């Protein structure tokens, strides 16, 4: 006889006997105890252990790491990276970062000539350049000539809401959420300085909220503050291009492979090529 089969049959018999004893003596009270035990475990885990959170995170990481089919990065998306090479290459003529904004204005003008569907800046233009007002004016005028540029805004800590003078209704792209909206509430958010950006209204939050272990597994499609929905920057782009955004306020990040899977080019290479007579 197979020893494993004998042990397996014995285990099943013991489990069946235990189940019969519980059903006979506890009857329906067993389920009350079971529910209480689960409730107690959830309370303890939420407050101290965090076992279920860690299990969920590890399960997601394992699923992403061992996917059979990895979605490919969209070749129509190009990241123009202001990297260390760009900072070094442009320092002699334009100084240290931040460069005069006319540089970005000229870059945008040349880029618009290539008819991109969208140009998304992940740079928060929160303050004027007091030393280069003409440069700021050039950038403001360049943005005003576009209808496909998108810019970020930054949501600050909710504890600072009472110190703000900005109401949600003043934020371009904010929409009333289902339920009661607080018209007089203020929200701590950093908006771009330039009027052309505010008039264009193509704004979204670029906050990212990693899990306690520092890994970003989810992204906010929008967040609700004082009864108003504030869109994320990606959601704002998607919606402006005529596509539907997820109904859920959060989505799991379906990572497109390893870092730098998207086409990435150095800003200085692109900028110098734009100004060159012999373009590559």
């Amino acid at each position: 006889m197979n020893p494993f089969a004998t042990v397996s049959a014995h285990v099943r018999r013991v489990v069946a006997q235990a189940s019969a004893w519980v059903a006979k003596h506890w009857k329906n009270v067993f389920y009350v105890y079971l529910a209480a035990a689960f409730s107690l475990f959830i309370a303890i885990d939420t407050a101290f252990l965090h076992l279920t959170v860690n299990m969920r995170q590890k399960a997601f990481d394992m699923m992403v790491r061992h996917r059979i089919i990895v979605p490919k990065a969209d070749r129509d998306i190009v990241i123009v990276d202001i990297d260390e090479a760009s900072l070094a290459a442009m320092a002699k003529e334009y100084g240290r970062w931040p460069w005069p904004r006319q540089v970005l204005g000229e870059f945008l003008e040349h880029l618009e000539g290539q008819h991109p569907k969208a140009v998304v800046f992940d740079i928060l233009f929160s303050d004027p350049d007091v030393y280069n007002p003409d440069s700021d004016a050039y950038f403001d005028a360049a943005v005003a000539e576009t209808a496909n540029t998108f810019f970020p805004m930054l949501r600050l800590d909710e504890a600072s809401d009472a110190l703000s003078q900005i109401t949600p209704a003043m934020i371009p792209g904010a929409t009333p959420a289902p339920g009661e909206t607080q018209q007089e509430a203020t929200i701590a958010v950093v908006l771009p300085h330039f009027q052309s950006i505010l008039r264009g209204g193509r704004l979204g939050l670029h906050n990212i909220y990693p899990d306690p272990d520092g890994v970003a597994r989810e992204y906010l499609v929008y967040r609700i503050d004082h009864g108003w929905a504030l869109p994320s920057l990606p959601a704002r782009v998607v919606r402006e291009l005529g596509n539907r955004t997820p109904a859920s306020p959060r989505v799991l990040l379906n990572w497109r492979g390893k870092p730098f899977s998207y086409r990435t080019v150095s800003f200085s290479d692109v900028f110098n090529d734009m100004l060159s007579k012999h373009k590559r």
Side-chain angles (χ1 to χ4, degrees), residues 7-242:
V7 173
S8 178
H10 179 69
V11 169
R12 288 197 299 269
R13 187 165 54 252
V14 171
V15 170
Q17 291 173 351
S19 301
W21 186 89
V22 168
K24 179 180 178 181
H25 291 84
W26 286 16
K27 296 183 179 180
N28 292 336
V29 178
F30 167 75
Y31 298 103
V32 176
Y33 289 150
L34 186 63
F38 271 116
S39 299
L40 180 61
F41 169 76
I42 292 172
I44 295 174
D45 183 62
T46 301
F48 305 107
L49 302 178
H50 309 297
L51 294 177
T52 54
V53 172
N54 294 334
M55 289 171 59
R56 185 171 67 249
Q57 293 174 353
K58 290 179 180 178
F60 178 77
D61 293 346
M62 183 177 66
M63 179 188 69
V64 171
R65 191 176 297 114
H66 299 289
R67 287 176 294 180
I68 298 175
I69 300 176
V70 179
K72 295 182 179 180
D74 191 333
R75 298 297 292 174
D76 288 336
I77 297 177
V78 180
I79 299 173
V80 183
D81 189 8
I82 301 178
D83 52 11
E84 293 295 332
S86 295
L87 297 176
M90 302 187 68
K92 184 176 181 179
E93 186 170 356
Y94 300 105
R96 299 176 61 184
W97 179 264
W99 305 317
R101 285 163 180 159
Q102 182 172 344
V103 174
L104 298 177
E106 292 177 0
F107 174 81
L108 179 59
E109 288 175 333
H110 286 284
L111 197 60
E112 284 292 293
Q114 300 182 37
H115 308 292
K117 285 186 177 180
V119 179
V120 186
F121 283 88
D122 195 17
I123 302 172
L124 185 61
F125 298 101
S126 57
D127 299 293
D129 186 347
V130 296
Y131 298 106
N132 295 283
D134 292 340
S135 181
D136 271 13
Y138 189 103
F139 178 72
D140 194 36
V143 173
E145 292 297 317
T146 68
N148 63 342
T149 49
F150 297 82
F151 298 88
M153 56 185 175
L154 178 66
R155 179 66 166 103
L156 301 178
D157 194 303
E158 296 176 16
S160 302
D161 282 358
L163 304 175
S164 175
Q165 297 181 349
I166 299 174
T167 63
M170 297 167 59
I171 301 174
T175 56
E180 183 178 353
T181 57
Q182 301 177 32
Q183 299 291 336
E184 302 302 322
T186 56
I187 182 170
V189 61
V190 179
L191 296 174
H193 160 72
F194 292 97
Q195 290 301 309
S196 60
I197 298 177
L198 296 175
R199 285 195 300 268
R202 296 177 294 275
L203 293 172
L205 299 172
H206 70 161
N207 298 68
I208 192 164
Y209 301 97
D211 290 326
D213 61 356
V215 177
R217 297 178 179 87
E218 291 183 308
Y219 197 82
L220 279 180
V221 179
Y222 60 90
R223 61 173 291 159
I224 303 295
D225 284 297
H226 307 295
W228 292 79
L230 304 181
S232 67
L233 183 57
R236 193 73 179 88
V237 176
V238 168
R239 194 166 64 196
E240 192 73 16
L241 293 181

